[in-house]
């Protein structure tokens, strides 16, 4: 599902505190931060948009469901990582195939998907790109 | 490398944990309807890359039976956890058994280099080369802050575990392991007995490895493990001399009894076998035996024999599944033959 605000990025399910009480909203993390000032949602992110894992499941098994769980639950996972590892900054080797390589490939695929009018594929690529832009720039496109 | 060093640091292993960006991690993947197809696709890609480099034997998805897996576990080529996901797991093993790549264990890819003797730098160089080749064709799950993303946060960052198997009979039998473990912990390292965590360890064998994987470079991790191994080797050698001096004839008697039993017994269970061979190895390392061969070679042959005498390896050698009693008889017979052949002269 795409973000209800920007309509561009993949949405996550948030439970937000408003003057009227709590309400469920489907927003991307960037729009959520803009609208709610970066405060943690009342119920936290409900589940990973990619694999459906919940935080309760992580607490039970100690394992995350997919790479995107680290984006979806970053705030919640970082204290655990810090507790286990002591540090939060990778200083070791990088993959031969970098995020920049992947970004270039996905942008080309996105152009193809647009030409072909493949909406589903376009949505999937947009979501992957939004994650990559965040990882590369720490923010928007 | 001196004989003393090799008589303590028995084998070296480097393991790198990696994941595909776009697939759920194995535990989650198993819950999806197309798990087997996706796993087969992963295996196909990795198999093609590795076999373009050198010959790898593929133990494919759905074909990793418990018996075959047990054989590979005993040879340090795969972990027991790989069998937990047997519907989607596979392994690729190089012809010389030095490189193994497990697919869909806890992570999608576990690349491992294993070698007898002690050379962590060589082990790392070999496995990082394999990693680079795989990385060219697979978009790894990677985050500039957290490094390689893994199913368990304990493996984030480098995804690297550098471990050394150490034969520590003197330190262990003199009750000094309880001093070693906290020292290692303070250096970001950990020690495990090979038969699990606890006071004793099968065959006086202990595995030293790094605990922290994030926030250090691979070189820093190798250096931390290397420093600890060197200190432990010196400690063990010192304690062996102290043991020899303090226990004198009774220690020699213990070693010779082990030699006598291993050479002549008719039934040999795994537990007794490991304990007696540890006594014998200690005797070889202390210079109680003269031999046409170098003691280093003798110790290495004993380690190979230990692996061959584990249950699933015996079954494989015999071409059928033996009962425990049959295995014990076979182990006794083969160990007697082995010792008569290896020209230990008492």
């Amino acid at each position: 599902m795409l973000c209800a605000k920007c309509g561009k990025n993949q949405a996550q399910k948030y439970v937000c505190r408003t003057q009227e009480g709590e309400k469920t909203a489907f927003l991307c993390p960037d729009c959520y931060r803009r609208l709610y000032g970066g405060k943690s949602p009342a119920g936290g992110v409900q589940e990973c948009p990619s694999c459906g894992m919940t935080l309760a499941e992580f607490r039970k098994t100690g394992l995350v469901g997919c790479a995107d769980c680290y984006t979806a639950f970053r705030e919640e996972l970082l204290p655990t990582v810090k507790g286990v590892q002591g540090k939060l900054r990778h200083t070791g080797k990088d993959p031969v195939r970098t995020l920049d390589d992947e970004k270039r490939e996905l942008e080309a695929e996105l152009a193809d998907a647009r030409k072909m009018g493949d909406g589903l594929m376009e949505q999937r690529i947009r979501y992957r790109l939004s994650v990559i832009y965040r990882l590369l720039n720490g923010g928007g496109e | 490398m001196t004989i003393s060093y090799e008589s303590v640091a028995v084998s070296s292993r480097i393991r790198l944990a990696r994941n595909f960006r776009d697939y759920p991690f194995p535990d989650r993947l198993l819950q999806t309807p197309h798990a087997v197809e996706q796993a087969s696709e992963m295996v196909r890609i990795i198999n093609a890359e590795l076999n373009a480099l050198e010959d790898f034997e593929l133990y494919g998805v759905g074909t990793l039976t418990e018996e075959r897996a047990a054989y590979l576990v005993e040879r340090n080529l795969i972990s027991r956890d790989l069998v937990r996901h047997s519907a989607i797991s596979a392994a690729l093993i190089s012809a010389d058994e030095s490189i193994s790549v497990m697919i869909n264990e806890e992570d999608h890819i576990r690349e491992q280099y294993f070698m007898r003797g002690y050379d962590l730098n060589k082990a790392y160089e070999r496995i990082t080369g394999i990693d680079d080749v795989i990385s060219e064709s697979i978009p790894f799950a990677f985050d500039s802050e957290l490094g390689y993303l893994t199913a368990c946060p304990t493996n984030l960052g480098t995804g690297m575990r550098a471990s050394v198997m150490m034969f520590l009979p003197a330190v262990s039998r003199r009750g000094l392991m309880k001093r070693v473990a906290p020292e290692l912990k303070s250096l970001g390292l950990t020690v495990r007995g090979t038969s699990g965590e606890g006071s004793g360890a099968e065959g006086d064998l202990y595995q030293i490895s790094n605990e922290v994987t994030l926030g250090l470079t691979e070189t820093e991790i190798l250096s931390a493990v290397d420093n600890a191994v060197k200190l432990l080797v010196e400690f063990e050698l010192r304690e062996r001399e102290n043991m020899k001096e303090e226990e004198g004839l009774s220690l020699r008697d213990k070693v010779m009894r082990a030699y006598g039993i291993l050479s002549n017994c008719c039934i040999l269970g795994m537990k007794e076998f490991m304990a007696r061979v540890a006594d014998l190895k200690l005797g070889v390392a202390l210079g109680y035996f003269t031999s046409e061969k170098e003691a280093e070679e003798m110790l290495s042959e004993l380690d190979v024999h230990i692996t061959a005498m584990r249950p699933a390896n015996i079954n494989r050698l015999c071409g059928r599944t033996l009962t425990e009693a049959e295995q014990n008889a076979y182990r006794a017979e083969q160990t007697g033959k082995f010792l008569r052949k290896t020209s230990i002269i008492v």
Side-chain angles (χ1 to χ4, degrees):
Chain A
M1 180 185 289
L2 289 179
C3 172
K5 181 71 182 165
C6 68
K8 281 197 318 192
N9 300 327
Q10 187 72 28
Q12 293 172 6
K13 187 178 170 188
Y14 292 97
V15 179
C16 309
R17 283 196 189 95
T18 66
Q19 286 178 336
E20 293 83 42
E22 289 184 356
K23 70 169 191 180
T24 302
F26 291 90
L27 300 167
C28 69
D30 290 342
C31 288
Y32 173 79
R33 268 194 293 274
R34 274 195 287 275
L35 288 169
Y36 293 95
K39 289 177 206 155
S40 288
V45 177
Q46 298 298 292
E47 58 180 40
C48 171
S50 294
C51 74
M53 191 202 76
T54 63
L55 263 185
E57 285 175 275
F58 169 71
R59 290 192 180 112
K60 196 170 154 195
T61 63
L63 302 175
V64 303
C66 71
D68 292 334
C69 289
Y70 283 104
T71 306
F73 301 116
R74 204 165 191 88
E75 246 177 74
E76 293 84 354
L77 288 175
L78 285 185
T80 305
V81 176
K82 174 94 174 157
V84 172
Q85 301 279 1
K87 292 179 184 172
L88 291 174
R89 171 60 67 179
H90 175 62
T91 54
K93 78 180 268 196
D94 291 350
V96 171
R97 196 166 183 270
T98 63
L99 277 179
D100 278 321
D101 295 332
E102 201 178 341
K103 186 182 82 154
R104 271 193 298 277
E105 286 166 18
L106 283 172
E107 282 168 346
E109 283 176 30
L110 181 63
D112 287 345
R114 273 194 199 128
K115 268 188 222 157
M116 307 271 289
D118 187 341
L120 259 179
M121 180 61 76
E122 200 178 323
Q123 186 180 331
R124 193 184 145 267
I125 297 170
R126 272 187 185 286
Y127 173 63
R128 298 240 36 89
L129 273 170
S130 73
V131 173
I132 290 173
Y133 289 139
R134 246 198 324 279
L135 291 172
L136 285 172
N137 309 324
E141 298 174 35
Chain B
M1 194 74 58
T2 64
I3 160 66
S4 303
Y5 218 95
E6 294 287 351
S7 77
V8 183
V10 177
S11 62
S12 314
R13 181 198 334 230
I14 304 274
R15 181 270 277 156
L16 302 175
R18 303 288 187 250
N19 285 285
F20 284 68
R21 268 200 72 84
D22 297 317
Y23 291 117
F25 294 162
D27 266 64
R28 199 83 197 164
L29 181 66
L30 260 180
Q31 299 168 24
T32 65
H34 304 296
V36 174
E37 289 88 337
Q38 292 190 334
S40 299
E41 177 64 7
M42 289 181 200
V43 174
R44 189 190 63 74
I45 296 171
I46 300 168
N47 187 25
E49 288 301 325
L50 292 180
N51 272 296
L53 273 185
E54 57 183 82
D55 280 345
F56 279 81
E57 184 167 357
L58 171 65
Y59 296 82
V61 171
T63 65
L64 205 58
T65 60
E66 273 194 37
E67 181 65 29
R68 185 173 286 197
Y71 167 79
L72 296 171
V73 169
E74 290 176 0
R75 300 183 79 76
N76 293 302
L77 294 168
I78 65 167
S79 70
R80 284 187 183 88
D81 279 351
L82 194 67
V83 189
R84 200 163 53 89
H85 295 155
S86 61
I88 55 169
S89 63
L92 280 150
I93 294 167
S94 66
D96 65 358
E97 297 193 340
S98 63
I99 301 165
S100 69
V101 176
M102 287 187 280
I103 301 167
N104 287 323
E105 197 231 36
E106 185 178 280
D107 293 297
H108 290 145
I109 308 171
R110 290 275 175 103
E111 307 155 355
Q112 174 191 282
Y113 185 86
F114 174 85
M115 60 177 284
R116 293 196 183 279
Y118 180 61
D119 195 343
L120 278 179
N121 288 325
K122 178 186 168 190
Y124 179 68
E125 272 170 34
R126 290 286 283 122
I127 204 61
T128 196
I130 294 290
D131 183 53
D132 288 346
V133 168
I134 297 177
S135 165
E136 275 172 25
S137 62
I138 292 169
F140 281 154
F142 183 82
D143 177 302
S144 56
E145 256 187 307
L146 298 175
Y148 291 94
L149 301 177
T150 51
C152 182
T154 53
N155 294 313
L156 283 169
T158 57
M160 182 168 104
R161 199 74 63 195
S163 49
V164 180
M165 189 66 77
M166 304 196 72
F167 178 54
L168 302 172
V171 170
S172 167
R173 294 176 197 193
R174 289 164 74 80
L176 299 169
M177 281 312 291
K178 57 180 179 288
R179 266 170 54 189
V180 171
E183 292 269 338
L184 291 175
K185 178 99 183 154
S186 71
L187 298 169
L189 307 174
T190 186
V191 59
R192 288 189 190 88
T194 51
S195 56
E197 295 180 41
S199 54
E202 188 187 49
D204 296 316
L205 290 167
Y206 291 86
Q207 185 176 280
I208 313 297
S209 60
N210 61 303
E211 203 158 40
V212 173
T213 54
L214 175 65
L216 296 169
T217 64
E218 288 78 2
T219 311
E220 286 168 334
I221 292 171
L222 292 175
S223 172
V225 178
D226 185 52
N227 288 338
V229 167
K230 281 178 179 153
L231 287 173
L232 261 175
V233 168
E234 284 167 23
F235 189 31
E236 169 65 21
L237 293 177
R238 235 180 9 252
E239 289 305 318
R240 283 183 192 173
E241 285 309 311
N242 291 339
M243 200 178 185
K244 199 173 170 183
E245 205 177 295
E246 288 168 24
E247 296 181 30
L249 201 58
S250 69
L251 180 60
R252 194 181 181 96
D253 178 68
K254 191 170 190 180
V255 169
M256 295 308 167
R257 279 175 188 277
Y259 176 74
I261 290 169
L262 289 172
S263 302
N264 298 297
C265 68
C266 299
I267 297 171
L268 191 52
M270 197 59 207
K271 197 175 168 190
E272 183 185 7
F273 170 70
M274 288 303 290
R276 305 282 185 204
V277 171
D279 288 343
L280 184 61
K281 280 172 67 181
L282 178 60
V284 172
L286 288 175
Y288 286 166
F289 300 94
T290 54
S291 162
E292 287 175 12
K293 295 181 181 182
E294 294 291 332
E296 184 185 325
E297 204 176 320
M298 171 66 63
L299 289 170
S300 172
E301 282 181 17
L302 276 166
D303 285 332
V304 172
H305 182 68
I306 289 173
T307 304
M309 291 297 103
R310 291 187 181 279
N313 273 264
I314 287 181
N315 288 346
R316 179 94 162 193
L317 280 171
C318 295
R320 67 182 179 91
T321 303
L322 273 58
T323 64
E324 196 179 338
E326 286 173 327
Q327 286 175 352
N328 293 346
Y330 182 84
R331 190 177 293 114
E333 185 192 332
Q334 294 301 315
T335 301
K337 275 188 194 166
F338 168 81
L339 288 176
R340 283 188 285 282
K341 213 170 56 185
T342 50
S343 63
I344 282 186
I345 302 163
V346 183

